[in-house]
Amino acid sequence: MENESLPTENIKSSNDQSEIVDSYSANPNQIVYDLLHQSDFDINVTDAYFAKKVNAPNKPNEYTYLKLNQACLGDKIYLVVKCYGKPPKGSLVISIRELEKKGNEQNLYPQKSIPFLVNGVEKTELQFTIDEKIEYIQEIEIRPKNDKEYQELQNKLNNLENKSTRLTIRTEIKDTNATKVNFKGILTGEFDTVKGSRYYDFLIGENESFQITPIIWHDPIDNPQRTYYNSSGVHKEQNGAFGMVRKYADGSDKAHQGLDIFANINTPCKACLDGEIVSYSNEGQKGYGNVLVLKVKGKDLRASKRDYQLEFTKEIESGPEFDINADYIYLRYAHLNSAVLTSGEVKSGSIIAYSGDTGNAEGVINPHLHFEIAKKPLGNGKGLINRYNPAFFVRLKTINEEEQTKVKKERQRK
């Protein structure tokens, strides 16, 4: 591997006093062990990895980033690069690449740099100005913006021999006059003569590999979004969240047992995971109306959990007595208009029902699917007992206020 240093410039002290001379300013190419000078004119890229954001132990409101060795195509995760040093100038450029497969097996991506989303915008690289930071962190979504291209990648990934592919992180240092650029603590990496940059690929070794797999979870409704309005037509997004997010007439807190996903009447509802339909029944005019229950494997549900941060004051993650480690868990689809199937095994993504406004949602101006994750198929009890927040699994999209307002006005005219 080539060990060529980046070009250097002559360095003078700010006051240019000839009587003040040290070994570093006299010979800027000399390797010295002065930490102050090293931090000013050396760049050290020590690590790069994919991560999830978690609460720091015993430190409320603080977070840390844990390394991941696997994620699903389409997941939101974090890209973390540790880079030390403050050169006179310099840029850190980060891209994601697929490790070249051996033998006859095809790679998932035809292009060198893999597309990903940052706040909904497709990119193939990130660029940071090197400053006094130690970590450069960005949340990304591993997928192209175009839904058709994304689905084609999912299908192609499913057809690969191991149903997975390995990704690497390329870190480049560009536009710098730093004395040295070190990767992993040593002067290493490759020099790109076209770009004039030194680069290094992380996650190459077997002991530090990162792979992506097909997503096994399918959202209960395509492109799911929260309900923007409550049933009275008032803007209250929190009303459809999980937790003690509603109010009784006397002002006391009221539980909401699931997630309300905006769905005009007869919107297709889909199986979130492979499973078995174990019940389809009417739970009453004052209850959830027509309800379909899908039994799924606990391990499949746990593998589908995403990095979700609670959005509302009294939204919570789990109700009492729910067991996330159970062998089987039940997904409840409520207020349905009709069911495609009322029993039997189904595959993830298959249409199993159509949304409606049955039960206590009859005639509401915010038609929706009430979606629950529960310990039991029926009889889970009042309040939040035996239930889990579906927002930790459903990939919620940005609310389309215009669309929901249009449906609201249409239903108000009826």
Side-chain angles (χ1 to χ4, degrees):
M1 184 175 289
E2 188 177 4
N3 282 333
E4 178 183 352
S5 298
L6 289 176
T8 60
E9 297 178 0
N10 292 328
I11 303 170
K12 297 182 180 180
S13 60
S14 58
N15 55 14
D16 199 23
Q17 295 175 348
S18 58
E19 67 271 23
I20 302 177
V21 178
D22 62 18
S23 61
Y24 185 81
S25 57
N27 182 4
N29 293 317
Q30 178 182 348
I31 298 177
V32 296
Y33 297 93
D34 185 315
L35 292 178
L36 177 62
H37 286 143
Q38 283 188 320
S39 65
D40 281 346
F41 300 108
D42 287 6
I43 299 176
N44 297 280
V45 185
T46 61
D47 206 358
Y49 53 90
F50 298 98
K52 65 177 180 178
K53 183 180 180 181
V54 298
N55 291 316
N58 304 318
K59 293 182 179 179
N61 303 319
E62 292 189 26
Y63 301 95
T64 186
Y65 296 87
L66 297 182
K67 289 185 179 182
L68 294 172
N69 56 24
Q70 181 176 313
C72 291
L73 182 65
D75 279 354
K76 283 187 177 181
I77 58 176
Y78 287 85
L79 192 54
V80 180
V81 176
K82 294 188 176 183
C83 179
Y84 305 81
K86 186 182 177 184
K89 65 175 183 176
S91 296
L92 169 65
V93 180
I94 307 165
S95 58
I96 303 173
R97 294 170 179 254
E98 183 181 14
L99 190 67
E100 193 71 28
K101 291 187 178 293
K102 299 177 181 179
N104 296 324
E105 192 171 3
Q106 291 185 339
N107 276 60
L108 180 66
Y109 295 91
Q111 67 273 44
K112 291 184 178 180
S113 294
I114 292 174
F116 54 89
L117 301 183
V118 177
N119 298 321
V121 177
E122 184 172 310
K123 296 179 178 290
T124 55
E125 69 176 29
L126 298 171
Q127 183 162 329
F128 298 94
T129 299
I130 298 174
D131 52 25
E132 295 179 340
K133 288 194 197 74
I134 294 175
E135 291 182 325
Y136 296 81
I137 302 170
Q138 178 64 59
E139 184 182 39
I140 65 168
E141 193 172 354
I142 312 176
R143 56 159 293 173
K145 186 174 181 64
N146 183 279
D147 287 336
K148 183 179 179 182
E149 292 177 11
Y150 170 59
Q151 192 56 54
E152 287 174 352
L153 280 175
Q154 288 281 8
N155 295 337
K156 189 175 178 182
L157 188 54
N158 260 309
N159 291 328
L160 292 180
E161 183 178 351
N162 296 321
K163 295 187 183 297
S164 67
T165 193
R166 285 181 57 186
L167 302 185
T168 66
I169 300 173
R170 174 161 294 186
T171 58
E172 296 181 73
I173 301 298
K174 298 171 62 177
D175 306 321
T176 187
N177 54 3
T179 307
K180 290 191 300 179
V181 176
N182 302 316
F183 294 96
K184 286 196 160 185
I186 56 175
L187 188 63
T188 185
E190 300 289 342
F191 188 73
D192 189 322
T193 55
V194 176
K195 291 185 178 180
S197 65
R198 184 169 292 282
Y199 67 89
Y200 184 85
D201 292 334
F202 286 84
L203 306 180
I204 295 289
E206 289 297 328
N207 296 328
E208 57 176 6
S209 67
F210 175 85
Q211 63 179 3
I212 54 170
T213 58
I215 192 166
I216 57 175
W217 170 275
H218 193 292
D219 288 320
I221 286 175
D222 289 342
N223 300 312
Q225 54 181 294
R226 294 186 186 277
T227 47
Y228 184 76
Y229 298 104
N230 66 8
S231 57
S232 300
V234 178
H235 173 213
K236 280 190 178 180
E237 297 169 33
Q238 70 270 24
N239 256 39
F242 178 85
M244 304 299 290
V245 294
R246 296 183 174 184
K247 296 289 185 183
Y248 286 104
D250 63 3
S252 59
D253 292 338
K254 181 181 179 181
H256 184 241
Q257 300 170 328
L259 173 67
D260 285 350
I261 304 171
F262 173 75
N264 208 350
I265 307 301
N266 285 324
T267 297
C269 301
K270 299 183 177 181
C272 296
L273 296 165
D274 293 354
E276 179 188 0
I277 297 173
V278 294
S279 173
Y280 179 68
S281 63
N282 189 286
E283 296 189 6
Q285 190 66 22
K286 294 184 179 180
Y288 288 129
N290 296 329
V291 178
L292 182 146
V293 182
L294 179 65
K295 178 183 177 182
V296 300
K297 293 178 181 178
K299 66 177 183 178
D300 288 347
L301 184 70
R302 290 187 290 274
S304 304
K305 189 176 179 183
R306 71 187 185 101
D307 183 25
Y308 171 73
Q309 303 296 321
L310 298 174
E311 295 184 19
F312 306 104
T313 303
K314 296 193 176 180
E315 183 187 15
I316 64 172
E317 181 171 347
S318 178
E321 299 184 28
F322 181 87
D323 183 10
I324 190 64
N325 294 310
D327 290 337
Y328 293 97
I329 294 172
Y330 298 87
L331 310 183
R332 290 168 44 85
Y333 300 71
H335 301 316
L336 298 175
N337 188 32
S338 61
V340 174
L341 298 168
T342 58
S343 64
E345 294 185 353
V346 294
K347 287 291 187 181
S348 177
S350 59
I351 298 174
I352 54 176
Y354 290 94
S355 69
D357 60 355
T358 56
N360 60 17
E362 183 178 358
V364 294
I365 60 176
N366 66 333
H368 59 273
L369 171 71
H370 175 87
F371 181 66
E372 289 185 12
I373 297 176
K375 181 178 180 179
K376 300 185 288 185
L378 303 167
N380 285 285
K382 295 182 178 180
L384 303 176
I385 190 169
N386 293 327
R387 295 171 175 88
Y388 198 90
N389 190 342
F392 280 87
F393 301 91
V394 178
R395 272 76 174 163
L396 289 165
K397 307 298 183 185
T398 303
I399 288 177
N400 186 332
E401 183 183 349
E402 182 180 356
E403 177 188 11
Q404 295 200 33
T405 300
K406 180 181 177 182
V407 172
K408 169 189 170 182
K409 290 179 179 178
E410 289 173 350
R411 290 180 68 83
Q412 282 176 327
R413 288 194 291 266
K414 290 183 180 181

